[in-house]
Amino acid sequence: MATLAARLRSHARVPLFRNAYALMLSGGASSGLGVLYWILASREYSPKVIGTSSTAIATLMFLTGLASLYLDGSLIRFLPRAGAGTARLVLVAYATSMLMAVVVTLVFVLGTGVWAPDLAFFGSSGWWIAAAVGATVASCIFTLQDGVLIGLRRAVWVPVENIGYGVAKIVLLVVIAGATAANGILISWVAPLLLVIPAVSLLLVRLIRQRGVHTADHAESLSFNRVASYAAGNYFGFLFFLAYTRLPPLLVLNESGSAASGFFYLPWMIASTLTLLVGNMSVSLIVEVTLDRDNTALHIRRAGLHLLRLLGPVVAVLFVSAPLVLRVFGQQYADEGTRLLRLFAIAAVPNAMCVLAFGVARLQDRVRLIVTAQFILTVLTLGSSSLLLPDLGIEGFGVGWLASQVVVATGLWLLILRPAWKPRITADA
């Protein structure tokens, strides 16, 4: 027993695993709280309101991604070596993203009648426009805060931040459930950011001051052009990622209506949790290889094997228990969404290969390959889904999603993962 405890402690001291586990805890706890949130919401609101509200939230996440300009990923990439330049890098990222948030949100809300008629209420008054802009700005700050914490190798604070936010959303949803028939979900989703952001900002000020006093041993000089070039190169690929991960609820809403969008969103939310699990390992991989390039292959293999151990059982359980999982939201959701959730569960395996391969490609600065693969995923996913939705309903999206992931994962395995998959590894992996 003592030997096992010692091995676990030794395992947890490896920064790659420690930070990845912190991010997985954050993602897992946030997803669990998210499931509870939507269970409560499904009891209080109709499928139509669920569909419209969830699509509005997905749209907010899409606008946040547009406005972030991949600066959260740039912070993760460059903060480990930023040293005394940490504060300046963070402030520039914040200011740039906030300005972009105002621009993209105004463009969206003023044109909802063209590309999202069911969300036209966002542009119906000055109050709604101001609320939409404020929500996107707050969401961008919240996203960048995670990037700063991870880049400072303080990922252990990320679950604290996100769990606090998740709990606050649930409390507010319950409190205002009877007060508003249409906007309670949107209010409870955005308002807690006004509490979480200031608290995390105070923590970041303290951590950044410590970084200024204790300059990192591997600090290097960072030019604006270098960071901007990295962000711009990855941003093009990230735009495609946003398209095939944030726009599907809007696609379903426009093609099949608000009720179908509600039945679609809950399986989609659960599937996104699995993608988040993989993404957290990929993020931790980037941070550790940035600091330890001599053992790049070892870190890649560790990350890949660990993902297989974690993801395999989860996929199997989710496939078998799909109707039971959805039944907690209501029998209607189980009847309409079980087959879709099973398709998403199967697709989690090739999706994991894609996400891990993108992380490795970023380490190798193969930006063109990332952009190409993301573009192919976008075209295949949205194109096939648009063709299949009218005949197969929401299950048509699941079929298109699975096929697209398999095609791209196969190519990325041959081009990126297989060459990095060394035949031998140290015993502590």
Side-chain angles (χ1 to χ4, degrees):
M1 191 71 177
T3 303
L4 176 60
R7 290 180 62 188
L8 290 175
R9 285 195 298 269
S10 176
H11 179 77
R13 281 195 292 267
V14 177
L16 172 66
F17 295 143
R18 183 178 64 245
N19 291 325
Y21 287 145
L23 295 175
M24 289 178 184
L25 172 61
S26 174
S30 297
S31 298
L33 291 171
V35 170
L36 177 58
Y37 176 92
W38 288 107
I39 290 173
L40 295 173
S42 67
R43 296 291 189 269
E44 298 291 338
Y45 299 93
S46 69
K48 288 187 176 182
V49 173
I50 293 288
T52 301
S53 299
S54 61
T55 302
I57 290 169
T59 302
L60 171 63
M61 297 298 100
F62 175 71
L63 296 176
T64 300
L66 289 179
S68 71
L69 298 172
Y70 198 74
L71 291 172
D72 53 327
S74 299
L75 291 172
I76 293 170
R77 170 65 177 81
F78 291 107
L79 278 183
R81 292 177 176 264
T86 296
R88 180 174 178 270
L89 179 58
V90 171
L91 290 175
V92 170
Y94 271 47
T96 304
S97 181
M98 291 168 67
L99 178 61
M100 189 65 175
V102 175
V103 174
V104 299
T105 307
L106 287 176
V107 171
F108 176 80
V109 298
L110 295 177
T112 49
V114 177
W115 42 68
D118 288 301
L119 300 181
F121 61 88
F122 275 126
S124 61
S125 70
W127 288 107
W128 269 112
I129 294 173
V133 171
T136 307
V137 170
S139 184
C140 284
I141 295 173
F142 188 70
T143 299
L144 291 178
Q145 285 179 332
D146 279 359
V148 176
L149 288 170
I150 296 168
L152 294 176
R153 303 183 85 193
R154 299 302 183 93
V156 291
W157 285 103
V158 175
V160 177
E161 172 194 25
N162 287 287
I163 290 172
Y165 172 57
V167 171
K169 284 192 302 183
I170 291 173
V171 171
L172 187 56
L173 178 71
V174 172
V175 169
I176 67 175
T180 174
N183 302 320
I185 293 176
L186 296 179
I187 294 171
S188 64
W189 192 275
V190 175
L193 292 174
L194 303 179
L195 299 176
V196 175
I197 288 174
V200 178
S201 296
L202 291 175
L203 171 64
L204 291 179
V205 169
R206 179 181 177 184
L207 294 176
I208 291 172
R209 284 177 177 173
Q210 291 175 354
R211 168 64 67 91
V213 174
H214 306 289
T215 303
D217 294 336
H218 303 288
E220 62 183 38
S221 177
L222 296 176
S223 67
F224 173 81
N225 288 340
R226 182 181 176 192
V227 177
S229 176
Y230 178 86
N234 283 278
Y235 183 59
F236 286 112
F238 185 61
L239 287 177
F240 295 126
F241 169 80
L242 286 175
Y244 70 79
T245 59
R246 302 303 186 193
L247 292 182
L250 185 58
L251 174 65
V252 175
L253 178 67
N254 289 338
E255 291 284 343
S256 305
S258 56
S261 180
F263 296 135
F264 168 84
Y265 184 77
L266 298 179
W268 179 249
M269 175 194 65
I270 295 170
S272 298
T273 300
L274 300 182
T275 301
L276 183 63
L277 174 74
V278 180
N280 289 334
M281 179 61 79
S282 180
V283 166
S284 184
L285 174 66
I286 291 173
V287 173
E288 295 312 311
V289 172
T290 298
L291 292 171
D292 184 20
R293 293 188 179 278
D294 291 339
N295 292 302
T296 296
L298 173 62
H299 289 308
I300 291 172
R301 186 174 175 88
R302 277 177 167 173
L305 292 175
H306 215 59
L307 276 177
L308 290 175
R309 299 187 191 109
L310 292 173
L311 193 61
V314 174
V315 169
V317 170
L318 185 59
F319 183 88
V320 173
S321 62
L324 298 177
V325 171
L326 291 176
R327 197 170 296 162
V328 300
F329 300 100
Q331 186 60 47
Q332 265 189 306
Y333 293 96
D335 293 340
E336 298 291 338
T338 292
R339 287 185 289 272
L340 176 64
L341 182 55
R342 283 175 169 162
L343 288 168
F344 285 156
I346 298 171
V349 176
N351 175 256
M353 294 174 60
C354 291
V355 175
L356 186 61
F358 291 145
V360 176
R362 288 189 177 95
L363 290 169
Q364 298 172 349
D365 292 325
R366 301 175 71 176
V367 175
R368 183 176 298 179
L369 179 58
I370 296 173
V371 173
T372 301
Q374 299 279 30
F375 172 74
I376 294 173
L377 268 175
T378 301
V379 172
L380 291 179
T381 300
L382 299 184
S384 62
S385 300
S386 296
L387 293 174
L388 296 174
L389 271 170
D391 294 328
L392 301 180
I394 58 176
E395 293 172 20
F397 182 91
V399 173
W401 175 259
L402 174 59
S404 303
Q405 295 292 328
V406 169
V407 169
V408 176
T410 301
L412 291 175
W413 166 258
L414 295 173
L415 294 173
I416 294 181
L417 291 180
R418 185 178 179 182
W421 205 256
K422 302 298 181 182
R424 302 186 67 178
I425 189 171
T426 56
D428 65 338

